[in-house]
Amino acid sequence: MKRSWVEPVFDEKYAAVRVWVIAGALLGDLLLVQRPSGAADWGFAAAGLMLCAAGTRWLFGAALALPVLVVAAHASGADPVAALKVLAALTLFELSVRTPGRRPVVAAGALACAVLANRITDLPAELPSVLYKMGVVAGVPLLFGAYVRGVREAARRAHERVTLEEARAEQRLLAARTAERATVARELHDLVAHHVSSMVLRVGVARHVLPGAGTGADAGTDGAADPRMTAVLDDLHASGSAALADLRRLVAVLRDPDSVDPDASPLLSPGALATALESVVEQSARSGLTVGAEVDERELERVDTARGLAVLRLVQEGLANAARHAGAGAHAELSVRVAGDGAVRVTVDDDGAGRPPRDPVPGPSGHGLIGMRERVQLLGGRLEAGPAGRGWHLSAELPAAPGMASDVPSHSAPGMASPASADMREALL
């Protein structure tokens, strides 16, 4: 809640400033307006200034002593009686603003008695006038100070309510997010992970029963299974097991993000990008896609983890789309290079040779392209994807990470990353 500029005027931490301003006003009135000449006048004025200064620490005592000083000054015929009354009224107002309870009422009663004592000789003829003056001098500061204190207390309570509501809203939002994450984790576990686990189990069973079931043209002369089929089943089993492990880790993160050890190894270790890309290319080749890869392995060693992970995901999605849409026997060209300014450029092109000529050139129909574009935009890069002849073209450029100068030696130590890698990695993961 935004505070008004008026509120600090009555803030308790500025009480000493207000008291000294009042003392300065009294001193100016004595020097410039009343100009007392007698020693008694200056004595009462000095006593009033000292009580005003004492009010910075003993406000209630000063509020009780000033009415006594007003009566004494009036009895001795001193000139600064009016100034001392104003000083006593302002002190009462300050006490009423800062202190709840009976003390302001007691101080107001003392000041009213002082006014009554100074006008005692006018009674009973001037009773209405005396009562009016008592109400103005003592009642108005008391009520106005109580009003200011009530307004400030109401503002404080309103601020506390707003803060409490914001905290509750944040807790509700966190609870809703937690429930949503738990729902997604449950669906992943009950549906996706269950089916993947079933597929891995069935492939494993097939690997064991295949040698005894190998007959016909596809079996060897000794009844053994076709080695190519065995290799395919082994690859399916390994890929399914890896996917199942990743799903289990994702479910664990969704259910309890704090359960993941922050010191655990990242998904992509610094300097391991070239090896990971080689593994992706080999996996794509096993799916029937011929891949020609041109990877700048030495320059990739100095790519930070965040951009390295984005490059890996771009290549995985690009080659997976090529294998899925270009058809069996298609040829794809992969290029991953680091420019002199540190930017990473990734291109994936396929010729669509495995697709019948009458078929239109399809693009990625799922959320892969959306995810790739979000990753690239998060790093400040650009992504282009679209049909190219019978095939599909994908290109992306990731600018150099902050702090990575273009004149960094190309033969950097493996694992060297920019200072912003950790923050960018957290955003990507």
Side-chain angles (χ1 to χ4, degrees):
M1 178 181 292
K2 187 176 180 181
R3 295 183 64 187
S4 172
W5 64 271
V6 180
E7 291 185 31
V9 174
F10 299 104
D11 200 313
E12 187 172 350
K13 63 181 179 181
Y14 298 116
V17 177
R18 293 194 296 272
V19 171
W20 285 112
V21 168
I22 295 172
L26 173 62
L27 184 61
D29 177 72
L30 293 173
L31 294 177
L32 302 177
V33 179
Q34 297 190 20
R35 297 178 182 178
S37 57
D41 296 339
W42 282 108
F44 283 112
L49 291 175
M50 287 189 295
L51 288 175
C52 186
T56 58
R57 186 165 184 177
W58 300 287
L59 184 58
F60 181 59
L64 293 179
L66 279 170
V68 177
L69 185 65
V70 169
V71 173
H74 184 271
S76 63
D79 292 336
V81 174
L84 291 177
K85 287 181 182 179
V86 173
L87 182 61
L90 292 177
T91 304
L92 174 61
F93 167 76
E94 182 70 23
L95 178 65
S96 182
V97 169
R98 293 169 55 181
T99 308
R102 299 178 180 177
R103 288 191 172 188
V105 177
V106 173
L111 183 57
C113 291
V115 174
L116 178 62
N118 291 345
R119 298 289 301 274
I120 194 68
T121 56
D122 298 333
L123 296 178
E126 300 292 334
L127 181 61
S129 174
V130 172
L131 292 177
Y132 176 78
K133 193 170 185 179
M134 291 171 58
V136 170
V137 176
V140 171
L142 176 66
L143 296 178
F144 186 52
Y147 170 76
V148 172
R149 185 180 71 252
V151 171
R152 293 179 66 244
E153 185 67 20
R156 184 187 62 81
R157 287 195 298 266
H159 179 71
E160 291 178 353
R161 284 196 300 269
V162 170
T163 304
L164 182 60
E165 284 299 323
E166 291 178 351
R168 289 176 176 173
E170 185 176 355
Q171 291 177 356
R172 289 193 294 267
L173 179 60
L174 181 60
R177 288 179 177 176
T178 303
E180 184 180 4
R181 292 167 72 100
T183 302
V184 174
R186 184 170 57 251
E187 295 299 326
L188 280 176
H189 178 271
D190 295 344
L191 297 179
V192 182
H194 171 73
H195 291 302
V196 173
S197 177
S198 178
M199 291 166 56
V200 172
L201 180 61
R202 293 178 183 180
V203 171
V205 172
R207 292 169 63 204
H208 287 85
V209 303
L210 186 60
T215 58
D218 291 337
T221 56
D222 56 352
D226 188 345
R228 294 172 299 176
M229 184 177 296
T230 304
V232 171
L233 291 176
D234 290 342
D235 181 59
L236 284 175
H237 189 271
S239 300
S241 299
L244 187 59
D246 289 341
L247 278 173
R248 287 170 176 168
R249 178 184 178 186
L250 180 58
V251 168
V253 172
L254 286 173
R255 287 191 179 277
D256 186 9
D258 296 333
S259 64
V260 180
D261 186 2
D263 297 328
S265 59
L267 295 178
L268 180 66
S269 301
L273 179 58
T275 304
L277 292 176
E278 182 180 355
S279 176
V280 173
V281 171
E282 292 177 355
Q283 185 176 3
S284 300
R286 288 195 296 269
S287 65
L289 182 68
T290 303
V291 182
E294 186 178 354
V295 179
D296 196 350
E297 298 183 4
R298 180 170 296 180
E299 290 294 329
L300 288 179
E301 292 181 353
R302 64 187 182 99
V303 175
D304 58 276
T305 305
R307 293 190 304 152
L309 183 61
V311 169
L312 178 61
R313 297 296 183 242
L314 288 171
V315 173
Q316 286 177 331
E317 187 66 25
L319 292 180
N321 287 334
R324 185 182 308 114
H325 300 286
H331 180 80
E333 288 292 335
L334 168 66
S335 174
V336 182
R337 289 193 168 276
V338 180
D341 59 353
V344 183
R345 295 183 174 88
V346 180
T347 57
V348 179
D349 295 282
D350 70 81
D351 55 8
R355 184 185 309 110
R358 63 179 179 275
D359 289 350
V361 178
S365 57
H367 299 280
L369 185 59
I370 299 176
M372 287 191 292
R373 195 175 302 278
E374 290 174 348
R375 282 183 180 272
V376 173
Q377 291 178 351
L378 185 62
L379 294 170
R382 58 182 180 86
L383 174 71
E384 296 178 357
R390 292 185 56 196
W392 190 265
H393 170 76
L394 170 70
S395 65
E397 180 176 350
L398 304 176
M404 185 176 180
S406 60
D407 58 349
V408 176
S410 60
H411 305 289
S412 303
M416 191 172 186
S418 70
S421 298
D423 295 337
M424 297 171 71
R425 180 172 65 251
E426 291 178 359
L428 285 174
L429 298 180

